[in-house]
């Protein structure tokens, strides 16, 4: 079991930038990918960006060219650099870890508590 803690959210004007951080309690071999997800008012939770253990990244079309996901394995931390922020980026952002154990055929997810991002003038 891994615990995830997000930070870095806040209020920013359109066109501004924020950097979100997600710190994991430990590094485990079972984690094959980590990602950032968001849920805005009246919307379902959606994928923003993911990075797997090999470094391959995936982005939602709405954030391509503006957001960058990265990781620092030594610090057990995943980051989301958000540039050129728009009001529609306003949401609670969640960090997720995706696990799989091939020996036991188990798969599961871990989630952080979320951090609020508000983009408004």
């Amino acid at each position: 079991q891994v615990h995830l803690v997000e930070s870095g959210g806040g209020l920013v004007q359109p066109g501004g930038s924020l950097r979100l951080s997600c710190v994991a309690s430990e590094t485990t071999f079972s984690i094959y990918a980590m990602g950032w997800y968001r849920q805005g008012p009246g919307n379902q939770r959606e994928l923003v960006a993911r990075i797997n253990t090999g470094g391959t990244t995936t982005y939602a079309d709405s954030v391509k060219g503006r957001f960058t996901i990265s990781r620092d394995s030594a610090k057990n931390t995943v980051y989301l650099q958000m540039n050129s922020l728009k009001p529609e980026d306003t949401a609670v952002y969640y960090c997720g870890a995706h696990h799989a154990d091939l020996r036991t055929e188990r798969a599961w997810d871990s989630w952080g508590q979320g951090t609020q991002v508000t983009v408004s003038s």
Side-chain angles (χ1 to χ4, degrees):
Q1 184 176 347
V2 62
H3 294 94
L4 306 174
V5 179
E6 304 100 329
S7 63
L11 175 64
V12 65
Q13 294 185 354
S17 298
L18 285 174
R19 189 194 195 200
L20 306 183
S21 298
C22 173
V23 181
S25 61
E26 62 183 50
T27 301
T28 62
F29 188 74
S30 65
I31 300 176
Y32 69 87
M34 296 189 69
W36 287 96
Y37 303 78
R38 67 186 181 188
Q39 185 170 7
N43 296 326
Q44 292 183 295
R45 186 177 64 184
E46 64 177 353
L47 170 69
V48 177
R50 276 176 46 135
I51 184 168
N52 69 12
T53 55
T56 301
T57 57
T58 301
Y59 295 94
D61 288 342
S62 60
V63 307
K64 286 181 179 177
R66 300 189 297 122
F67 292 9
T68 303
I69 188 170
S70 61
R71 67 186 181 191
D72 185 337
S73 297
K75 296 181 178 180
N76 294 333
T77 303
V78 176
Y79 304 96
L80 184 67
Q81 179 66 46
M82 305 186 294
N83 299 325
S84 302
L85 284 162
K86 304 174 180 179
E88 51 262 45
D89 295 318
T90 295
V92 178
Y93 284 71
Y94 298 91
C95 179
H98 309 291
H99 310 254
D101 187 332
L102 296 180
R103 294 185 299 106
T104 62
E105 300 182 13
R106 294 168 53 227
W108 67 101
D109 300 325
S110 301
W111 298 98
Q113 83 289 347
T115 184
Q116 176 71 46
V117 172
T118 302
V119 185
S120 177
S121 60

